[in-house]
Amino acid sequence: MTAVKAKFAQLGFDYTRFRFGFRTGIAACLSLVFAWALGLEHPQWSAMTVWAVSQPTRGLLLEKAAYRILGTLLGTVVGMLLVVTTGNDIIFMALGLTAWVGLCVYIGNLLHGLVSYGAILAGYSASMVVLLTRTPDALLPLGIDRLLTVFVGVMTALLIGWLFTYSRAEQSLVNQFRRQTAENLRILAQAYKTGSLQQLNSYDRISQLAHLEAQLIEHGTGSPSAHQSAKTIRRILNAQLGLFAQLENKGVIQSKEMSEHLLTCSKSLIDNRSEQIRNALGNFLQHVEHAALLPYFKEFVEASYARLEFRDTGKTARSVRKLSILLHRDWRGARQAALRTLMVMTLISVAWAYTGWFQMAYLLLGASVMLTLFSTSENPAKTMYYVFIGQSFGALTALFVQAFIWPHADSILAMILWLMPIILFAGFPMAHNRTANGAMDFNLVFLLLMQPALHYQFEPLQAISIALAVIAAPILALISYRLLFPTNLRSRQQQLIQALEGDLHQLQTRTLSNSQRQRYKARLYHRLFKLYQMADKLGTKDKLACTRYLLRVQHQVAEHE
């Protein structure tokens, strides 16, 4: 197996991604057959669902599948209501859809993780029902077909994914978090031994904590237990951030006794025995000689006790405060994403109503996906470039099959079977370093354009015009992301800094209750983590800015405690 992975690597392929892509391709082929066997009109939607929900870990797979079903159900119901209430009036139907998609993208940008995905999916699921309904009589069958194809795709993805996903992969973050915490305690022990922060390098310590924090959304998926696990880990990460920040503010004292107890705590974490860890932490807390750090060490120990209790029993004490896991919400970014979506979709809607071209419906459908699904990414305009490349190759492949292969197929089953080699081949571009970014979009657009029908005849003008309308959507979205509220990592950093400044001003000028102070502290810490995550990608100057805000935040937090 090692030789195979090495050979793949020499050719530029990632073996893990190839394995995932090939497994997902098999599931997509099976879902096509299952949907056809059930007599569904759009079996390709089932395969699209498989590509959309498949994930490398079981927790992610299960939760994304659940949100896929919920988002599709809500979007389908709203789409059907829009068609019923607006009839055949294009402008009212399109503008009603625009309002709904704008609301969904606003909510999706305020939320985190797969909850955000579910909200955004509810928006463009309505688009598929509204824009692909040919006549009012076909509305109910189309809605039911949409729901059933998604259900078949989700169930197939769950079955194949569950059988071939390593369950131990989900424990890697927990082990990494434990080792990192042990290393931080060891470095703290060295700092107290020497009485110097020279070897501490707080930026690197916090940056590593921020990297772990960024993975918690995925870790906390799949079950209530996983969500609770992520909360207990985040409490400890926040406590460590507070420790390092206070050390930067107050400095360190020389204490051989504290150093020895911290080293014992570090070793107990490496040994990973609950009772040993509890005893080591309890003994250390009794020997803390640094008064300025005592509240922060106490918070760390209490968070560690809560984590141990959860690990041993699956439960946490009622005294664990939910305030400690409060997350940053980008209100300004959400508002900009919603306004951008409303403006572009309104423009397309008016153009559709004026021209009456049916191709505009496909452009509106594509825009509703491009302007929502990718609005939460760090640099959506750059992402659109790769999406366009992938969709272009997907559309060209679809046109080739429609023109030269499908006219010779004598049944729906034969048409579906002709799709399978291409679906299975898609594992290769997903695994190669140069083509991975656009591979998923190749799969989705290829399948979107492959609607099987008996007595199929290729109509060049119609097929080409629809394909062009679909792949025009990422170009339109790219222009929109660059011109309407330009969005990239730098602009997101500036919005985050403005949010930090706002919280610091509120903390300085308002008289706050204890619960309000805890809310501000939790949100400030999470925003600091995000600032560190961005700085690692932007450069040295931004790393210095992180240190300045770390000191400012901690100064304000300490004044109110």
Side-chain angles (χ1 to χ4, degrees):
M1 184 62 69
T2 304
V4 173
K5 292 182 179 180
K7 186 64 176 177
F8 265 72
Q10 290 176 3
L11 297 174
F13 290 94
D14 181 276
Y15 178 78
T16 302
R17 289 205 305 265
F18 173 76
R19 185 179 182 275
F20 170 76
F22 188 69
R23 182 195 78 199
T24 306
I26 292 174
C29 291
L30 288 174
S31 69
L32 267 176
V33 175
F34 293 155
W36 166 80
L38 291 171
L40 299 179
E41 184 180 356
H42 301 84
Q44 76 277 16
W45 288 357
S46 178
M48 290 172 65
T49 299
V50 171
W51 283 111
V53 304
S54 292
Q55 297 294 318
T57 63
R58 290 180 179 177
L60 272 174
L61 172 63
L62 184 62
E63 189 155 332
K64 192 169 187 180
Y67 281 114
R68 181 81 182 185
I69 291 176
L70 291 174
T72 301
L73 178 61
L74 178 59
T76 300
V77 171
V78 171
M80 294 173 71
L81 288 174
L82 281 171
V83 174
V84 170
T85 54
T86 59
N88 292 322
D89 194 315
I90 291 178
I91 190 63
F92 286 110
M93 181 175 64
L95 290 179
L97 176 65
T98 296
W100 169 250
V101 174
L103 175 63
C104 290
V105 74
Y106 178 75
I107 295 173
N109 274 262
L110 289 177
L111 300 175
H112 297 272
L114 293 176
V115 184
S116 170
Y117 168 75
I120 289 173
L121 178 66
Y124 66 80
S125 286
S127 299
M128 295 193 73
V129 173
V130 171
L131 301 173
L132 297 180
T133 300
R134 298 183 183 89
T135 63
D137 294 339
L139 174 62
L140 184 60
L142 180 69
I144 295 174
D145 190 77
R146 170 68 178 160
L147 289 174
L148 290 178
T149 51
V150 168
F151 182 78
V152 170
V154 165
M155 291 298 105
T156 307
L158 279 174
L159 174 64
I160 301 300
W162 206 267
L163 289 175
F164 295 100
T165 297
Y166 294 120
S167 59
R168 64 176 179 270
E170 298 174 3
Q171 293 301 315
S172 60
L173 175 65
V174 175
N175 294 328
Q176 186 181 355
F177 155 73
R178 179 174 52 82
R179 290 192 296 267
Q180 185 61 55
T181 302
E183 176 63 12
N184 288 344
L185 292 178
R186 186 193 67 78
I187 292 173
L188 280 174
Q190 184 67 22
Y192 276 101
K193 181 179 179 180
T194 61
S196 170
L197 293 176
Q198 186 174 0
Q199 296 182 352
L200 185 62
N201 196 345
S202 292
Y203 181 87
D204 285 349
R205 303 273 75 76
I206 297 174
S207 178
Q208 289 163 355
L209 294 177
H211 177 69
L212 291 172
E213 193 279 334
Q215 301 176 64
L216 284 181
I217 290 179
E218 291 188 3
H219 173 74
T221 57
S223 68
S225 177
H227 283 275
Q228 192 61 39
S229 175
K231 289 179 181 180
T232 59
I233 292 175
R234 184 171 274 115
R235 281 194 76 204
I236 299 177
L237 294 178
N238 283 355
Q240 291 184 69
L241 174 60
L243 265 174
F244 289 123
Q246 188 69 349
L247 279 169
E248 287 293 324
N249 264 344
K250 299 296 183 180
V252 68
I253 64 173
Q254 189 169 12
S255 172
K256 184 177 179 181
E257 188 174 19
M258 283 184 65
S259 175
E260 290 176 350
H261 281 288
L262 280 168
L263 201 57
T264 301
C265 292
S266 176
K267 290 178 179 178
S268 68
L269 280 173
I270 294 173
D271 293 339
N272 200 23
R273 296 176 182 174
S274 296
E275 194 60 34
Q276 183 183 347
I277 296 172
R278 285 191 180 91
N279 292 336
L281 290 172
N283 290 334
F284 163 71
L285 200 57
Q286 294 175 9
H287 295 86
V288 174
E289 302 172 0
H290 196 175
L293 270 294
L294 179 58
Y296 297 90
F297 279 121
K298 184 178 180 181
E299 185 176 354
F300 170 74
V301 171
E302 289 175 351
S304 299
Y305 283 164
R307 172 66 193 173
L308 290 170
E309 182 179 354
F310 170 78
R311 192 181 75 171
D312 295 341
T313 67
K315 300 178 181 179
T316 54
R318 293 182 179 180
S319 60
V320 174
R321 294 172 298 183
K322 292 184 178 180
L323 296 176
S324 62
I325 51 94
L326 193 67
L327 301 181
H328 159 73
R329 298 194 190 281
D330 186 3
W331 295 92
R332 185 178 179 182
R335 186 166 59 251
Q336 291 179 351
L339 288 173
R340 182 192 302 114
T341 301
L342 289 172
M343 286 189 283
V344 175
M345 290 188 64
T346 298
L347 180 64
I348 300 173
S349 299
V350 172
W352 183 19
Y354 180 76
T355 62
W357 295 343
F358 75 93
Q359 292 90 344
M360 299 299 289
Y362 286 90
L363 179 60
L364 188 60
L365 172 60
S368 71
V369 177
M370 299 297 112
L371 293 170
T372 58
L373 188 60
F374 299 99
S375 63
T376 58
S377 64
E378 289 181 347
N379 193 336
K382 183 178 180 181
T383 303
M384 286 301 99
Y385 168 77
Y386 295 109
V387 170
F388 172 72
I389 297 299
Q391 288 194 1
S392 297
F393 279 99
L396 287 172
T397 306
L399 290 173
F400 177 83
V401 174
Q402 292 171 1
F404 299 107
I405 297 178
W406 269 12
H408 305 290
D410 56 3
S411 67
I412 298 291
L413 178 59
M415 298 174 81
I416 288 174
L417 292 176
W418 274 113
L419 301 181
M420 292 185 179
I422 298 172
I423 294 174
L424 293 174
F425 174 79
F428 286 96
M430 288 191 73
H432 199 278
N433 298 328
R434 293 185 178 180
T435 56
N437 288 331
M440 182 64 73
D441 302 286
F442 169 89
N443 298 325
L444 295 178
V445 164
F446 170 71
L447 288 167
L448 176 67
L449 296 175
M450 302 309 295
Q451 173 60 54
L454 285 173
H455 312 297
Y456 178 83
Q457 290 184 347
F458 179 62
E459 299 179 8
L461 290 179
Q462 179 175 324
I464 294 172
S465 65
I466 290 175
L468 289 175
V470 169
I471 65 174
I475 294 297
L476 182 61
L478 187 153
I479 296 171
S480 302
Y481 283 126
R482 289 193 181 276
L483 299 182
L484 301 175
F485 311 111
T487 302
N488 51 43
L489 188 58
R490 179 67 67 186
S491 69
R492 292 193 186 278
Q493 182 204 42
Q494 293 303 315
Q495 291 175 8
L496 181 60
I497 288 175
Q498 290 176 9
L500 273 170
E501 291 283 2
D503 276 354
L504 288 171
H505 178 73
Q506 293 284 335
L507 200 59
Q508 188 175 12
T509 58
R510 291 183 58 187
T511 301
L512 304 173
S513 66
N514 182 60
S515 63
Q516 288 174 323
R517 286 195 298 271
Q518 292 298 327
R519 288 179 65 85
Y520 274 101
K521 177 181 174 181
R523 188 165 56 212
L524 282 166
Y525 278 7
H526 187 245
R527 284 174 172 165
L528 278 175
F529 274 136
K530 293 187 74 67
L531 196 62
Y532 273 79
Q533 292 162 15
M534 293 178 179
D536 285 339
K537 301 174 183 177
L538 289 172
T540 304
K541 183 179 178 181
D542 301 282
K543 294 179 181 180
L544 295 174
C546 284
T547 303
R548 291 197 300 270
Y549 276 100
L550 176 70
L551 296 175
R552 286 185 60 191
V553 166
Q554 191 57 31
H555 177 72
Q556 290 292 334
V557 168
E559 276 194 351
H560 288 80
E561 287 186 333

